[in-house]
Amino acid sequence: FKDLNRRGRALKTLAVRQVGKDTRALATSITTHTSIDFRGMVNTTGSDNDIAYMHHQGTKAHVIRPRRAKVLRFVQNGRVRYAHRVFHPGTKRNAYLTDNLPKVVLD
């Protein structure tokens, strides 16, 4: 149990180092939990942040539109901007969990 818990903490540490640091929201949302269930000892490491999967797998270019407001509000070059839609160029895949998994499993 202690060894699996140690490996989970190591995976979390490596994943936090690898994720983007723009807002630190994704990095701070990564958690690890070790437990025992019907499968035996289990470690769950990951994030419940909405953007976690998109960062891990990457995204294609897409348009972003407001969901609950009439316009989007964002800061660009130090100025507050408003738009009805913005074009997002996509996100490069950053497999912060699966890239680091072999490092802790083969340890």
Side-chain angles (χ1 to χ4, degrees):
F1 191 83
K2 286 182 180 181
D3 184 54
L4 184 61
N5 195 34
R6 177 187 63 80
R7 291 172 192 264
R9 287 192 320 269
L11 178 60
K12 176 185 173 183
T13 299
L14 293 169
V16 166
R17 286 183 192 159
Q18 186 173 325
V19 297
K21 303 290 191 291
D22 287 347
T23 64
R24 301 224 21 103
L26 179 54
T28 57
S29 72
I30 297 173
T31 60
T32 186
H33 178 74
T34 304
S35 61
I36 298 174
D37 67 11
F38 67 94
R39 297 169 289 184
M41 291 187 296
V42 177
N43 178 273
T44 306
T45 302
S47 171
D48 60 0
N49 189 309
D50 293 341
I51 64 170
Y53 184 78
M54 293 183 280
H55 269 264
H56 198 273
Q57 297 305 111
T59 62
K60 294 180 180 179
H62 58 281
V63 174
I64 300 174
R65 291 183 174 84
R67 291 184 183 176
R68 293 179 289 274
K70 292 184 179 183
V71 294
L72 297 166
R73 179 188 183 275
F74 57 97
V75 178
Q76 183 180 40
N77 298 327
R79 296 181 61 186
V80 176
R81 308 287 296 244
Y82 298 91
H84 292 283
R85 66 177 183 253
V86 293
F87 179 78
H88 190 285
T91 305
K92 184 179 175 187
R93 183 176 191 264
N94 178 4
Y96 54 89
L97 290 171
T98 54
D99 284 354
N100 292 302
L101 195 55
K103 296 174 187 172
V104 298
V105 171
L106 302 175
D107 177 11

